[in-house]
Amino acid sequence: MENKRPLFLVTNDDGIDAGGIRALVDMVSDLGRVVVVAPDGPRSGQSCALTVSRPLRLTYVGGEGDVSYYKTDGTPVDCVKLAINELLGGRPDLILSGINHGSNTAISTIYSGTMGAAYEGSVIGVPSAGFSLCTHELEPDFGCCRNMVRRTVSALLVSGLPDSVCLNINIPYKCDIKGVRLSRQALGYWTEEYEKRTDPRGQAYYWVTGRFVNTEPDAEDTDSWAVANGYISVVPTACDRTALSSFPAVKNLLSLT
Amino acid sequence: MENKRPLFLVTNDDGIDAGGIRALVDMVSDLGRVVVVAPDGPRSGQSCALTVSRPLRLTYVGGEGDVSYYKTDGTPVDCVKLAINELLGGRPDLILSGINHGSNTAISTIYSGTMGAAYEGSVIGVPSAGFSLCTHELEPDFGCCRNMVRRTVSALLVSGLPDSVCLNINIPYKCDIKGVRLSRQALGYWTEEYEKRTDPRGQAYYWVTGRFVNTEPDAEDTDSWAVANGYISVVPTACDRTALSSFPAVKNLLSLT
């Protein structure tokens, strides 16, 4: 008899050994079957990168009951593509990415591998969400994400999402959560980004570092504001990057008719 | 006396030795000073990825007159960030990425390293454009891009771009170009994506391959249609990924007030 329980593809960018992905699986495994396909180590900052210059490996790691774990030597997007093409024989019901260790608000969403995997889901028409816990504490308790994860999964199973849209969900840490706010991506950029060092042979090398400058810290409709003020932020996020509102300006710029 | 000629930062994802980047420099070097900071080899499919797990190198390669070349062992985004933080002492007047060998239309824009560099420019407020030549011919003549590159650069120097927007410009190859069309990103996805092989030790590995499925091939307002029909496509592209039009649906989905 065919198993009718929904199928969740779970991935992340912190790697298969990260606490956040194990926590995410625990939070949803009673709601459906779970296939985890995650990178074999950290892939933070991998955005929507996919691996084209070398082949990939896909390795079964273990499993129990309706949960199975695989790892790849690729990016989060590679994980989703490999899972759907080589493991699942088709599309899962949902793609869940995370729980990321650290926030993915504001411009971080464009660099985030957690969100890369969620974008990939939205490209192929699978309702997808990335979850991030906003803390850099070394061993955080992901349990505070449980209610929001289950609420999101239940809602996505019933209603799906608009075409080409996925959810970017950021959850504040260790505070009395005031509620859930539908938000837009805050504007801003990273600055003072490198620490320059000299190696033992006298050659320079550069570690990325820096700090985020929020250029609209008081905008209450942004994800950064929501999380800083004790709310869970939900940003509906598009894989269509077309900036429709700028069409008149660009038409004028290039003297197009 | 300070040099008042405009400063162009040029990068790509095909690597510093690619024909496309040399062609791009040749096309603009009479219009301003040029600093090239490009990956030391191919970085196709690197999207907005940035390197966080290891430090980066930045190496002077050579130069002549007002053109200088540097390479990094990072991604296109790393190139832009390193250039601005460690080389230029500030923001250039324009960031030009490419000329990519192959198209970056439709959903390819989310995986494209060429466009990753252009997005990075738009994040920090520098007018930026990615250029792609739509051919897989091995040694294409990039000369057919010259008019459009110079027209774009001249326009951007005068008018700039709206906040958080960059241009994704795709140029058809070897055809009588019919004109320039302001376009939106075509919808679609990649399918049949892997070729599975077995290594000499009997273990499986996977090469990414596949083909693009355009789900709206007849939509004349898309970039894919424009290029397929002999037009240069210009897609104004946003680093803000918020899907504003989906707010009502997501509000309803999560029962938000």
Side-chain angles (χ1 to χ4, degrees), chain B residues 206-251:
Chain B
Y206 303 87
W207 281 104
V208 76
T209 164
R211 62 186 176 83
F212 176 68
V213 178
N214 183 344
T215 53
E216 45 176 5
D218 300 324
E220 297 188 6
D221 60 344
T222 64
D223 52 2
S224 296
W225 188 95
V227 168
N229 287 276
Y231 294 90
I232 295 169
S233 74
V234 177
V235 182
T237 304
C239 62
D240 182 353
R241 308 281 163 85
T242 310
L244 287 174
S245 63
S246 71
F247 271 40
V250 175
K251 202 168 188 174

Side-chain angles (χ1 to χ4, degrees), chain A residues 42 44-58 75 77-78 81-82 85-86 91 107 109-111 119-120 123-124 148 151-152 155-156 159-162 164-165 167 169 180-185 187-196 199 201 203-208 234-244 246-251 253-256, chain B residues 42 44-58 75 77-78 81-82 85-86 91 107 109-111 119-120 123-124 148 151-152 155-156 159-162 164-165 167 169 180-185 187-196 199 201 203-208 234-244 246-251 253-256:
Chain A
S44 291
Q46 282 293 293
S47 187
C48 297
L50 82 169
T51 303
V52 299
S53 59
R54 60 173 174 84
L56 294 165
R57 302 284 185 168
L58 175 62
T75 65
V77 163
D78 292 331
K81 286 182 180 288
L82 275 170
N85 285 278
E86 299 296 329
R91 296 172 186 184
I107 200 63
T109 189
I110 83 169
Y111 309 117
Y119 286 123
E120 183 64 20
V123 169
I124 56 171
M148 186 61 194
R151 176 177 172 183
T152 305
L156 291 178
S159 305
L161 278 173
S164 307
V165 169
L167 299 181
I169 298 178
V180 179
R181 283 176 80 96
L182 197 60
S183 305
R184 67 176 172 84
Q185 181 189 321
L187 298 175
Y189 57 91
W190 288 78
T191 188
E192 296 165 9
E193 295 189 287
Y194 292 92
E195 187 175 316
K196 183 177 180 178
D199 71 20
R201 279 156 298 283
Q203 302 298 311
Y205 62 98
Y206 303 87
W207 282 103
V208 74
V234 177
V235 181
T237 305
C239 61
D240 181 353
R241 308 283 163 81
T242 312
L244 287 174
S246 71
F247 270 40
V250 174
K251 201 168 187 172
L253 170 85
L254 289 171
S255 307
L256 303 177
Chain B
S44 290
Q46 283 293 292
S47 186
C48 297
L50 82 169
T51 303
V52 299
S53 59
R54 59 173 175 84
L56 294 165
R57 301 284 184 169
L58 175 62
T75 66
V77 163
D78 292 332
K81 286 181 179 289
L82 274 169
N85 285 278
E86 300 297 329
R91 297 172 187 185
I107 200 64
T109 188
I110 82 168
Y111 309 116
Y119 286 124
E120 183 65 19
V123 170
I124 56 172
M148 186 61 194
R151 176 177 172 182
T152 305
L156 290 179
S159 305
L161 278 174
S164 307
V165 170
L167 299 182
I169 297 177
V180 179
R181 283 176 78 95
L182 195 60
S183 306
R184 65 175 173 84
Q185 180 189 322
L187 298 176
Y189 57 91
W190 288 78
T191 188
E192 297 165 8
E193 294 189 288
Y194 291 93
E195 188 176 312
K196 184 178 181 178
D199 71 20
R201 280 157 296 284
Q203 302 297 311
Y205 63 98
Y206 303 87
W207 281 104
V208 76
V234 177
V235 182
T237 304
C239 62
D240 182 353
R241 308 281 163 85
T242 310
L244 287 174
S246 71
F247 271 40
V250 175
K251 202 168 188 174
L253 170 86
L254 289 171
S255 307
L256 302 177

Side-chain angles (χ1 to χ4, degrees), chain A residues 104-106 109 115 129-130 132 166-170 223 233-237:
Chain A
N104 276 312
T105 54
T109 189
M115 287 310 299
S132 301
C166 61
L167 299 181
N168 181 16
I169 298 178
N170 280 270
D223 53 0
S233 75
V234 177
V235 181
T237 305

Side-chain angles (χ1 to χ4, degrees), chain B:
Chain B
M1 200 181 80
E2 197 188 347
N3 192 331
K4 296 289 188 189
R5 297 178 75 209
L7 176 60
F8 307 138
L9 173 61
V10 174
T11 190
N12 74 347
D13 77 353
D14 289 329
I16 194 155
D17 297 321
I21 197 166
R22 300 285 169 152
L24 180 54
V25 170
D26 287 344
M27 290 170 195
V28 302
S29 58
D30 65 313
L31 302 174
R33 296 168 291 153
V34 177
V35 175
V36 176
V37 182
D40 56 16
R43 297 292 191 286
S44 290
Q46 283 293 292
S47 186
C48 297
L50 82 169
T51 303
V52 299
S53 59
R54 59 173 175 84
L56 294 165
R57 301 284 184 169
L58 175 62
T59 310
Y60 179 67
V61 177
E64 194 175 7
D66 267 354
V67 179
S68 48
Y69 286 88
Y70 298 80
K71 66 180 182 182
T72 80
D73 54 350
T75 66
V77 163
D78 292 332
C79 290
V80 173
K81 286 181 179 289
L82 274 169
I84 289 172
N85 285 278
E86 300 297 329
L87 270 187
L88 306 182
R91 297 172 187 185
D93 293 285
L94 302 182
I95 295 173
L96 307 173
S97 184
I99 299 171
N100 192 62
H101 186 179
S103 77
N104 276 313
T105 54
I107 200 64
S108 298
T109 188
I110 82 168
Y111 309 116
S112 163
T114 304
M115 287 309 299
Y119 286 124
E120 183 65 19
S122 68
V123 170
I124 56 172
V126 176
S128 301
F131 299 93
S132 301
L133 181 59
C134 302
T135 178
H136 287 290
E137 196 171 286
L138 276 182
E139 300 277 350
D141 173 11
F142 289 92
C144 59
C145 303
R146 181 177 174 87
N147 288 349
M148 186 61 194
V149 165
R150 290 176 66 87
R151 176 177 172 182
T152 305
V153 166
S154 300
L156 290 179
L157 284 173
V158 172
S159 305
L161 278 174
D163 283 349
S164 307
V165 170
C166 60
L167 299 182
N168 181 18
I169 297 177
N170 279 271
I171 299 165
Y173 190 54
K174 277 196 177 170
C175 66
D176 289 330
I177 288 174
K178 293 183 191 156
V180 179
R181 283 176 78 95
L182 195 60
S183 306
R184 65 175 173 84
Q185 180 189 322
L187 298 176
Y189 57 91
W190 288 78
T191 188
E192 297 165 8
E193 294 189 288
Y194 291 93
E195 188 176 312
K196 184 178 181 178
R197 296 186 180 182
T198 305
D199 71 20
R201 280 157 296 284
Q203 302 297 311
Y205 63 98
Y206 303 87
W207 281 104
V208 76
T209 164
R211 62 186 176 83
F212 176 68
V213 178
N214 183 344
T215 53
E216 45 176 5
D218 300 324
E220 297 188 6
D221 60 344
T222 64
D223 52 2
S224 296
W225 188 95
V227 168
N229 287 276
Y231 294 90
I232 295 169
S233 74
V234 177
V235 182
T237 304
C239 62
D240 182 353
R241 308 281 163 85
T242 310
L244 287 174
S245 63
S246 71
F247 271 40
V250 175
K251 202 168 188 174
N252 192 44
L253 170 86
L254 289 171
S255 307
L256 302 177
T257 48

Side-chain angles (χ1 to χ4, degrees), chain A residues 98-143:
Chain A
I99 300 170
N100 191 62
H101 187 179
S103 76
N104 276 312
T105 54
I107 200 63
S108 298
T109 189
I110 83 169
Y111 309 117
S112 164
T114 305
M115 287 310 299
Y119 286 123
E120 183 64 20
S122 68
V123 169
I124 56 171
V126 176
S128 302
F131 298 94
S132 301
L133 181 60
C134 302
T135 177
H136 287 290
E137 197 171 286
L138 276 183
E139 300 276 352
D141 173 11
F142 289 92

